[in-house]
Amino acid sequence: MASIKDIAKIAGVSISTVSYALNGSNKVTEETRQRIKKIADDLKYVPNMAARTLKRQRTNIIGVYVTDYRGSFYGELLDGIKRGLGYYDYDMIVCSGSRSHLFIPEKMIDGAIILDSTFSTEEITQFADEDYNLVVLDRELDYSSVPQVLLDNKGGATLAINQLVELGSRKVFLITGPNGSYDNRQRLEASVKELERFNMSYDVINGNFTEASGHQAAEFIFSKSPQVPVDIFAFNDEMAIGIYRYLKDKPYVIGRDVRIVGFDNIEIGEFLEPKLTTISYSKHRWGIIAAEKMIRLVSNEQAEDELIYTSLVERE
Amino acid sequence: MASIKDIAKIAGVSISTVSYALNGSNKVTEETRQRIKKIADDLKYVPNMAARTLKRQRTNIIGVYVTDYRGSFYGELLDGIKRGLGYYDYDMIVCSGSRSHLFIPEKMIDGAIILDSTFSTEEITQFADEDYNLVVLDRELDYSSVPQVLLDNKGGATLAINQLVELGSRKVFLITGPNGSYDNRQRLEASVKELERFNMSYDVINGNFTEASGHQAAEFIFSKSPQVPVDIFAFNDEMAIGIYRYLKDKPYVIGRDVRIVGFDNIEIGEFLEPKLTTISYSKHRWGIIAAEKMIRLVSNEQAEDELIYTSLVERE
DNA sequence: TTGTAAGCGTTATCAC
DNA sequence: GTGATAACGCTTACAA
């Protein structure tokens, strides 16, 4: 509410003196600084963001865009980003929905970290052409100015297939995500490649990363009374959970008659019975690295693409 | 990048004409409006947020403050708030961490919806005194200008106890949240009151709403080889999950030897074996109502407190 | 119907 | 060391 004008009036100095005093310039005596700071505190002065931004042409805020707020997937990632940005005195806000895409050209934020399928790649490249600072976590882009921090989906899928191979699998059901998803395409490509290397047969069943689609896929598989053991690589854990749910009142025993590998290592997996074997990676680290890339961008430094490696979590 | 100045220059008009044309004022001919709009589009003009805010003195953005980003708890709530605000042309950003509290006095946001224990109640009342628009979801406050949208914790706790009573319970273990939590205190108070009404005995075991503390509580209870059935009211689902995990390799059978009621109805509950009985409420509706209160505030209308009612979800 | 100009709250450049 | 003052990009009352 109070502005530097008010402070200046009370202190009997000009507004520029107030500004200098408050911003720690050495152009003002220690004594006046103290006096002015005291008045500012008494008035509970806080600089107006809009005015400061208008002048400075930056906000020190980074926007993180997510597809939606649901799911236990984002929490750790956001924590990581926030931590990474905090080291460098940047604030973070989390946004979702296409209206908030406007924050970018409006210059409300100094940069955007994107894990949000409501951004079209075209939209992103347009922003990139206009020199906004962007980091993408959910797609490949042929834009050297937009660093990508991507999951090593191929490595993860290869690990998953190998695990099934080691268990003696002869045939694998692949339950995929939606076609539009970059992660899905990568996982599929690597899985097929690895399966063919071992000369194994496989069936591709289209899912869409939701628990419901996993349930459906299981229905499809088991309604044909397949030969046990049935081996399944679900391209994410949520779909694997759908399979668990389908099998709950069926005679098939998970771990013996059905072997499932998931992807993402979401929290629930550990509470399933039996615990879900899955492909894991550090979401926290993913966030920290994304933040680092963004910091480099706003500092006008070059930022390289980076891969987040995966590992197999073998459970029951 | 392009400003109305650029547009004015190209169109050969003054900046005010551009502003009028773009803001749909009827002070300019349809013809010039079209011409100017065309140029603006070509230049990909987007108004600068800081400048507009500085002039208008509002941002049309509401900040939602959460304690942290983890847990599957917030997703639906945020969805609800976003939906509720969207109806009225307000944007929403999600914030966490004490640094971002500054957004409020900086006037970066027109109001704050708070579900964030890092706000002290003193801080909130100070902001309220300075006439910022606040809605709280996580505490009681004697401030008529700050509407509260609270869970009916007492109703929920009463339901939980009644459920155990109906199952024939004689004694109940209450596993609480942290002392500082308003929700926890309410649940405890109502539970005790209800238990005493039925003349039942009970033990209070201090937890802190984390899964780990639920696990510990279970360890404490079962290490004393208690008389079965053991009846437990865990003040949230996460702690109930901790109990499940503890009991996994123990001889006690949940549903027969141990009966547990949780609180919150988080998603995981349905995948536990057996499914978790819990106290439920619509997080989505909670969010929508919180948004409505905020809209009333920014419209300078009176907003009443409101309670979000709970129900028992009886599972296995 | 269009243009001029003041003002929003800061920061920063220049005189003094 | 301090004070005027221009500038950031926009909206809007008023003048033309």
Side-chain angles (χ1 to χ4, degrees):
Chain A
M1 207 95 265
S3 76
I4 59 173
K5 224 183 211 164
D6 302 318
I7 301 177
K9 201 175 295 172
I10 297 180
V13 297
S14 76
I15 58 163
S16 44
T17 303
V18 175
S19 180
Y20 286 134
L22 262 27
N23 289 311
S25 155
N26 54 358
K27 309 183 76 174
V28 53
T29 54
E30 195 49 35
E31 190 211 328
T32 44
R33 180 199 313 297
Q34 292 304 341
R35 198 160 55 85
I36 289 173
K37 280 211 163 146
K38 172 92 174 53
I39 297 175
D41 281 351
D42 290 349
L43 260 46
K44 299 200 174 100
Y45 169 76
V46 176
N48 177 293
M49 166 111 199
R52 167 175 266 170
T53 300
L54 186 56
K55 183 65 190 171
R56 286 208 186 155
Q57 302 290 43
R58 66 196 162 82
T59 60
N60 268 44
I61 298 175
I62 299 300
V64 179
Y65 286 86
V66 297
T67 308
D68 62 53
Y69 297 112
R70 294 168 190 269
S72 54
F73 177 83
Y74 293 119
E76 270 184 89
L77 180 71
L78 294 175
D79 251 30
I81 298 177
K82 173 154 162 272
R83 157 110 60 122
L85 293 174
Y87 295 145
Y88 297 90
D89 221 45
Y90 271 81
D91 260 321
M92 149 178 153
I93 62 177
V94 183
C95 317
S96 179
S98 55
R99 282 167 44 105
S100 55
H101 294 194
L102 269 182
F103 291 163
I104 299 171
E106 280 176 339
K107 307 224 162 200
M108 229 219 68
I109 52 180
D110 292 348
I113 296 175
I114 300 174
L115 179 62
D116 182 349
S117 59
T118 71
F119 272 91
S120 71
T121 294
E122 194 197 358
E123 192 181 359
I124 293 180
T125 55
Q126 266 178 27
F127 282 138
D129 283 335
E130 295 166 42
D131 273 337
Y132 294 108
N133 297 313
L134 305 175
V135 173
V136 297
L137 309 190
D138 65 346
R139 67 195 79 205
E140 239 164 336
L141 220 56
D142 229 352
Y143 251 71
S144 62
S145 61
V146 181
Q148 305 151 32
V149 185
L150 302 178
L151 274 185
D152 180 17
N153 287 296
K154 296 199 171 182
T158 306
L159 284 173
I161 298 299
N162 271 295
Q163 168 69 6
L164 292 172
V165 168
E166 278 191 21
L167 291 174
S169 173
R170 312 260 53 179
K171 170 179 180 172
V172 173
F173 291 92
L174 302 174
I175 306 187
T176 74
N179 274 322
S181 156
Y182 166 77
D183 289 328
N184 172 60
R185 291 195 305 272
Q186 296 284 303
R187 290 170 200 182
L188 180 57
E189 198 181 306
S191 297
V192 168
K193 189 170 164 194
E194 194 66 7
L195 285 161
E196 287 177 346
R197 163 171 302 151
F198 288 104
N199 233 322
M200 291 169 65
S201 70
Y202 59 91
D203 263 11
V204 176
I205 301 173
N206 292 311
N208 61 10
F209 280 160
T210 63
E211 193 234 314
S213 74
H215 190 275
Q216 273 177 6
E219 212 169 328
F220 177 79
I221 295 173
F222 292 98
S223 62
K224 304 177 159 181
S225 23
Q227 207 186 336
V228 295
V230 174
D231 294 310
I232 304 178
F233 175 26
F235 283 11
N236 79 354
D237 285 354
E238 295 211 25
M239 296 193 298
I241 288 171
I243 303 171
Y244 269 67
R245 193 155 60 90
Y246 173 84
L247 291 172
K248 199 160 200 176
D249 47 5
K250 302 291 180 298
Y252 300 96
V253 175
I254 300 178
R256 189 192 66 192
D257 307 327
V258 187
R259 298 180 298 202
I260 307 175
V261 180
F263 205 119
D264 280 348
N265 193 18
I266 65 177
E267 205 194 351
I268 310 186
E270 241 202 302
F271 296 108
L272 296 176
E273 186 56 43
K275 291 180 180 176
L276 177 64
T277 291
T278 187
I279 301 300
S280 179
Y281 48 89
S282 168
K283 303 183 187 74
H284 197 258
R285 184 160 172 276
W286 194 7
I288 293 208
I289 290 179
E292 276 171 12
K293 300 297 173 191
M294 177 53 72
I295 293 297
R296 291 189 68 88
L297 288 190
V298 296
S299 315
N300 287 314
E301 293 170 46
Q302 192 67 33
E304 316 259 295
D305 296 345
E306 197 153 332
L307 225 47
I308 302 298
Y309 291 105
T310 56
S311 62
L312 177 76
V313 176
E314 190 177 349
R315 291 201 272 238
E316 296 155 319
Chain B
M1 207 95 268
S3 74
I4 58 173
K5 223 183 213 164
D6 302 317
I7 301 178
K9 202 176 294 172
I10 297 180
V13 297
S14 76
I15 58 163
S16 50
T17 303
V18 175
S19 178
Y20 286 135
L22 262 27
N23 290 311
S25 154
N26 53 359
K27 311 182 81 177
V28 4
T29 56
E30 195 50 34
E31 192 211 326
T32 42
R33 181 198 313 294
Q34 293 303 340
R35 198 159 54 85
I36 289 173
K37 280 212 164 146
K38 173 92 175 51
I39 298 174
D41 280 352
D42 291 349
L43 260 47
K44 297 199 174 101
Y45 169 76
V46 176
N48 177 294
M49 166 113 200
R52 167 176 264 170
T53 299
L54 187 55
K55 182 65 193 174
R56 287 207 182 152
Q57 302 289 41
R58 66 197 162 82
T59 60
N60 268 45
I61 299 175
I62 300 299
V64 179
Y65 287 85
V66 297
T67 308
D68 62 53
Y69 297 111
R70 293 169 192 267
S72 54
F73 177 83
Y74 292 119
E76 271 185 87
L77 180 72
L78 295 174
D79 251 30
I81 298 176
K82 174 152 162 275
R83 156 109 62 120
L85 293 174
Y87 294 145
Y88 297 89
D89 222 46
Y90 271 80
D91 262 320
M92 147 177 155
I93 62 176
V94 183
C95 318
S96 179
S98 55
R99 282 168 44 105
S100 55
H101 295 195
L102 268 181
F103 291 163
I104 298 171
E106 279 175 340
K107 306 222 164 203
M108 231 220 65
I109 53 181
D110 292 348
I113 296 175
I114 300 173
L115 180 62
D116 180 349
S117 58
T118 70
F119 272 91
S120 70
T121 293
E122 193 195 359
E123 192 181 0
I124 292 181
T125 55
Q126 265 177 28
F127 282 138
D129 282 335
E130 294 166 42
D131 272 337
Y132 294 108
N133 297 311
L134 306 175
V135 173
V136 296
L137 308 190
D138 65 344
R139 68 193 78 205
E140 241 165 334
L141 221 57
D142 229 352
Y143 251 71
S144 61
S145 61
V146 181
Q148 305 153 31
V149 186
L150 303 178
L151 274 185
D152 181 18
N153 287 298
K154 295 200 170 178
T158 306
L159 284 172
I161 298 300
N162 271 294
Q163 168 70 6
L164 292 172
V165 169
E166 277 190 23
L167 292 174
S169 173
R170 311 259 55 176
K171 169 178 180 171
V172 173
F173 291 92
L174 302 174
I175 306 187
T176 73
N179 274 322
S181 156
Y182 166 76
D183 289 328
N184 172 60
R185 289 194 305 270
Q186 296 283 302
R187 289 170 200 182
L188 180 57
E189 197 181 308
S191 297
V192 168
K193 188 170 165 196
E194 194 67 6
L195 285 161
E196 288 179 344
R197 163 172 301 152
F198 288 104
N199 234 322
M200 291 168 64
S201 70
Y202 59 90
D203 262 12
V204 176
I205 301 173
N206 292 310
N208 60 9
F209 281 160
T210 63
E211 194 232 314
S213 73
H215 191 276
Q216 274 178 5
E219 211 169 328
F220 177 78
I221 294 173
F222 292 98
S223 62
K224 305 178 159 179
S225 27
Q227 206 185 337
V228 293
V230 174
D231 294 310
I232 305 179
F233 175 26
F235 283 11
N236 80 353
D237 284 354
E238 295 211 25
M239 295 193 299
I241 288 171
I243 303 171
Y244 268 68
R245 193 154 61 88
Y246 172 83
L247 290 172
K248 201 159 199 176
D249 47 4
K250 302 291 181 299
Y252 299 96
V253 175
I254 299 178
R256 190 193 66 192
D257 307 326
V258 188
R259 299 180 297 202
I260 307 175
V261 180
F263 206 117
D264 281 348
N265 193 18
I266 66 176
E267 205 194 351
I268 309 186
E270 243 202 301
F271 296 107
L272 296 176
E273 185 54 44
K275 293 180 179 174
L276 177 64
T277 292
T278 188
I279 302 300
S280 180
Y281 48 89
S282 169
K283 303 184 188 71
H284 197 258
R285 182 159 173 278
W286 194 7
I288 292 208
I289 290 179
E292 277 172 10
K293 301 297 174 192
M294 179 51 75
I295 293 296
R296 291 189 69 88
L297 289 189
V298 296
S299 314
N300 286 313
E301 293 169 48
Q302 192 65 34
E304 316 260 296
D305 296 345
E306 198 155 332
L307 225 47
I308 302 298
Y309 290 105
T310 55
S311 62
L312 177 76
V313 177
E314 191 175 350
R315 290 200 274 238
E316 297 155 320

